[in-house]
Amino acid sequence: MFSNGCGYQSDQPLILYSPQQARRSIFKTIRFRAISQVATVLSYIVLVRGMQEHAFGIYNLFYSFIPVITTLASFGLEQTLRRFQPEYLRTAKPLASAWLVRTVAGARFASTVLMLAIILLAWNVIAKRFDLIGYRTDFAVFGVLIILYLQTIILQLSLASHMMHQYSVGSVAAMSVGKLLAYLAITVFGSLTLRSAILADIAAYGVGYMLLSVAHWRLRTKTPQSTGLHLDASERRRLTRYAVFNHLNDASSLLVYGQTDNFFIGAMLSPVAVAAYAFYARLTEMINNLMPQKLFDNVIQPMFFAVPAAESHTRLSRYFTLLIDLNLALQLPAIAFVIVYHRELVQVFFAGKYLQYSNLFPLVLALSIVPSSMSVPISLVAQYHERAGLMLASELFGLYQVGAMLVLIPALGLYGAALSTGTFHAFRNFWIWWQMRREVQWRNFKGVLTMGLLVWGSVVAVCSLLRMFLPPLPAIVQMAIGGVICGMGALAFLRSSGISQSDREILANLMHGREARLLRWLGLAPQSQALS
C-alpha cells in the first residue's frame, strides 16, 4: 500500500514502516480478524437469543456510557498517542515513544476512575431519567470492564505503532472467542442475565489485557528505557497543543458515537426500544467492521502518519482515494443485500427477534455509508496536518443532531433517530472534506458514483424481481440466491471504473506475492498487468 522512498533516517524505521512490513501486518490482521469477526457474529447471535429484551436494553445503555467516559475525560490522550508514536519510531526516538505510552496509560487510568466515581455518585439523578433505578451495583461492576477496555486500547495502539499486529489484532480475536465461550457456557449451565453477560465480558477483556501486557513488557525489555528523557520546550508545546485541541474535539464529539443515540431513545421511549435500535445498529457495526478501513485500521494509521511531509500532497490523495474506493466496493453489496433480505436475515439467525423493526436495518446501514467510508480517511488527513481545530469546529453540527432527535424521535420513533444520526454524519464529514479539499481529493468520485448506481441498482432490481416471482422458497435459499447475484455484481464492480488505476497500482505494489494471482482474478490488477 505504501511505496518506498520515504526518506527515513535509519535502518530500523525503514524496516518498521516498509511496504514489506505493511504486507506482513495485513496478512496477520486478516488471519486474526477472520477469527474475531466469526466469533463476534456467533457470540452476538447467542447474546440476542439468550437475553430478555429489557435486560438487553439495559446492557446496551451501559455500553453507551463508554463513549461518554472516553470523550469527556479524554484529554486528547489516545489521539496524541496515535499521531505521535509512529513519528517518534520513524525518526528513531524510542525514548520519546516509551515515555508517551507510559504517560498516556497512566493519565487514562486516572481520568477513567474519576469519571466512574462521578457517575456513581450522581447515579440516582442519571438512573431516574433512563429507567436505570436499581442497577447501580451492576454499573459498578461494569466499571471494571470500562477500565480494562480503555487500557486495552492504549496497548493495542502502541503495539500497532510497532507493527506488532500479531498481538494488537490477536488480542481482539482472543477477546471475541472468550466472549463466545463464556456466553455459551452461561447459556448451557444457567441463563444470560445482565450481570452474567457483564461478567463474561470482563473475563474476556481481562484475558486480552493480560496478553497485551505480556507482549508490551517483552517489547520494553528489548528497547532502551526512557529514564532521564527530556523533550525540548517546543516539542512539549506541540504535544500539549495537539492534546488540548483533541480533548476539546473529543469532548464535543460525543454525538459522533452511535451509542449515544441510546440515551435519547431511552429518555423519550423505553429500554425495549433501546434494545431494538441497538440490535440493528450493532448489526450495521459488525458489517462495517468487515470493511477495509476498519479491518486494517491498526495497519493504516501508523503507516499513514509515517508519511514524510515532503511527499504528503501526492501520496495522501492516492491513499485517501484507495481507502474510500475499497470501502465502498464492499459496503455497496452489503447494502444491496440487506435492502432485499433484511427480514430473512433476522428470521434465520436471530429467531425473529425485533422483526417488526427490520425495515430499520437497511435504513441504518445505508445512512452509515458516509461516516464509515469517508470519516476515517478524512480524519486521518486532518490529524496528519494537525488540524484538530477543524475537527473541533465540525462538532457544531451536533446542535443539528440534538434538534433533529428531539423533533424526529417523537414523530418517527426509531426511524427518526436513524435519520437524525445519519444526516448529522453526512453533513459533518462533507464539511470537513470541503475544508480539506486543497490537501486531499477523492480522485475517483465520478467512477464510483456511476458504476455504483448502475451495478448495485441492477442487483437490487434483479433480486427483488426473483423474490417476487419465484415460487415460495425457504429464507436460507432466498438469501443464497441473493448472495450469488451480489457476488456477480461485486466482480463486475471491481473490474469497472469503480476502482481507479491508481488504486490498482497501489494494491499491486503491496500484494506482489502469491496473492497477486487473486488480484488478477478479481480484476484488481493494473490494466497493463492484467493484459500481459
Side-chain angles (χ1 to χ4, degrees):
M1 177 177 177
F2 299 89
S3 63
N4 286 317
C6 295
Y8 296 137
Q9 299 175 0
S10 70
D11 292 339
Q12 181 180 355
L14 179 62
I15 295 173
L16 188 61
Y17 295 121
S18 67
Q20 293 77 16
Q21 181 61 50
R23 178 175 175 269
R24 285 193 292 270
S25 293
I26 285 175
F27 282 108
K28 292 172 184 175
T29 298
I30 290 174
R31 187 182 306 119
F32 287 114
R33 291 283 195 197
I35 298 171
S36 173
Q37 294 300 328
V38 171
T40 297
V41 171
L42 293 177
S43 64
Y44 197 64
I45 291 173
V46 175
L47 185 67
V48 171
R49 284 173 170 261
M51 287 188 75
Q52 296 295 321
E53 294 181 358
H54 186 273
F56 188 64
I58 300 298
Y59 177 82
N60 282 283
L61 277 173
F62 278 9
Y63 265 92
S64 300
F65 279 93
I66 292 181
V68 173
I69 293 174
T70 302
T71 57
L72 295 184
S74 79
F75 299 107
L77 295 168
E78 285 87 355
Q79 296 294 353
T80 302
L81 177 64
R82 183 182 286 113
R83 170 63 182 86
F84 290 102
Q85 191 180 15
E87 178 180 313
Y88 289 154
L89 292 173
R90 177 177 65 84
T91 54
K93 297 178 181 177
L95 302 184
S97 170
W99 172 85
L100 185 61
V101 175
R102 192 167 60 253
T103 302
V104 167
R108 171 51 86 185
F109 178 80
S111 67
T112 303
V113 171
L114 178 61
M115 281 298 300
L116 287 171
I118 292 172
I119 291 173
L120 289 172
L121 288 173
W123 185 255
N124 290 336
V125 177
I126 297 171
K128 188 175 182 180
R129 187 62 180 169
F130 299 106
D131 196 19
L132 294 174
I133 297 294
Y135 293 99
R136 188 173 186 271
T137 302
D138 293 291
F139 185 80
V141 176
F142 188 77
V144 177
L145 184 149
I146 295 176
I147 293 172
L148 286 171
Y149 169 80
L150 294 175
Q151 291 296 308
T152 294
I153 287 178
I154 291 169
L155 293 181
Q156 287 172 342
L157 289 174
S158 177
L159 290 169
S161 292
H162 286 274
M163 303 302 286
M164 299 175 67
H165 294 88
Q166 67 270 35
Y167 299 114
S168 62
V169 185
S171 66
V172 177
M175 289 185 288
S176 299
V177 173
K179 282 187 180 183
L180 174 60
L181 295 176
Y183 291 162
L184 287 172
I186 293 171
T187 302
V188 171
F189 298 106
S191 61
L192 264 172
T193 62
L194 175 64
R195 179 72 64 84
S196 63
I198 292 172
L199 291 174
D201 291 353
I202 289 174
Y205 276 108
V207 170
Y209 180 73
M210 286 190 292
L211 291 174
L212 289 168
S213 296
V214 170
H216 209 267
W217 175 80
R218 293 179 63 186
L219 176 65
R220 289 202 309 271
T221 60
K222 297 178 181 179
T223 57
Q225 298 304 299
S226 55
T227 302
L229 172 71
H230 294 287
L231 297 177
D232 60 44
S234 62
E235 184 66 12
R236 288 184 180 274
R237 284 195 298 270
R238 183 186 178 207
L239 289 173
T240 302
R241 182 173 61 253
Y242 191 85
V244 168
F245 268 111
N246 277 281
H247 171 66
L248 297 173
N249 183 30
D250 288 343
S252 61
S253 67
L254 183 58
L255 295 173
V256 173
Y257 296 89
Q259 295 99 319
T260 56
D261 295 1
N262 295 335
F263 289 122
F264 288 95
I265 297 169
M268 287 187 274
L269 299 176
S270 68
V272 174
V274 171
Y277 185 86
F279 170 66
Y280 289 109
R282 178 60 175 143
L283 290 182
T284 296
E285 182 185 354
M286 286 193 292
I287 291 173
N288 287 334
N289 282 341
L290 295 173
M291 303 300 112
Q293 291 180 21
K294 289 294 183 75
L295 201 62
F296 304 115
D297 56 347
N298 284 344
V299 181
I300 292 169
Q301 289 174 4
M303 297 294 292
F304 201 95
F305 293 135
V307 172
E311 304 176 17
S312 63
H313 184 73
T314 301
R315 290 172 62 181
L316 293 190
S317 287
R318 296 185 71 200
Y319 302 159
F320 181 83
T321 300
L322 174 70
L323 292 175
I324 295 179
D325 289 356
L326 290 185
N327 213 68
L328 291 175
L330 292 180
Q331 192 172 34
L332 291 175
I335 292 173
F337 186 86
V338 170
I339 286 174
V340 182
Y341 300 105
H342 53 90
R343 289 186 63 86
E344 288 80 1
L345 278 167
V346 177
Q347 285 177 335
V348 171
F349 295 107
F350 298 98
K353 265 195 171 181
Y354 313 110
L355 186 61
Q356 66 271 32
Y357 295 105
S358 66
N359 288 323
L360 191 63
F361 191 10
L363 177 63
V364 172
L365 185 59
L367 289 172
S368 75
I369 192 170
V370 170
S372 64
S373 62
M374 196 171 188
S375 178
V376 170
I378 196 62
S379 296
L380 288 174
V381 173
Q383 290 172 16
Y384 179 89
H385 289 287
E386 300 182 28
R387 297 285 299 276
L390 176 63
M391 301 296 291
L392 176 61
S394 73
E395 306 308 338
L396 290 174
F397 284 95
L399 298 175
Y400 157 79
Q401 187 188 17
V402 171
M405 285 280 188
L406 296 175
V407 172
L408 294 180
I409 289 179
L412 302 175
L414 300 183
Y415 300 95
L419 286 170
S420 301
T421 298
T423 52
F424 157 67
H425 283 296
F427 294 153
R428 176 179 176 270
N429 282 285
F430 278 127
W431 183 82
I432 296 173
W433 171 80
W434 181 256
Q435 299 298 319
M436 298 290 298
R437 67 190 185 280
R438 294 183 180 179
E439 283 82 9
V440 66
Q441 294 84 36
W442 181 12
R443 298 178 174 179
N444 197 35
F445 171 74
K446 292 182 180 179
V448 171
L449 180 63
T450 302
M451 298 310 302
L453 291 174
L454 178 63
V455 172
W456 298 113
S458 300
V459 166
V460 170
V462 170
C463 289
S464 298
L465 289 173
L466 289 176
R467 193 167 174 267
M468 290 171 58
F469 294 108
L470 284 178
L473 296 171
I476 191 70
V477 176
Q478 294 185 42
M479 288 192 293
I481 294 172
V484 171
I485 296 172
C486 285
M488 295 169 61
L491 288 175
F493 185 84
L494 292 176
R495 287 169 163 80
S496 74
S497 58
I499 303 296
S500 70
Q501 181 68 7
S502 173
D503 297 338
R504 302 176 199 278
E505 291 171 356
I506 295 174
L507 289 172
N509 180 55
L510 179 62
M511 302 294 186
H512 48 74
R514 295 180 180 178
E515 66 278 5
R517 182 180 301 175
L518 177 62
L519 286 185
R520 291 192 293 270
W521 184 82
L522 291 173
L524 287 174
Q527 293 179 2
S528 58
Q529 178 180 344
L531 293 174
S532 62

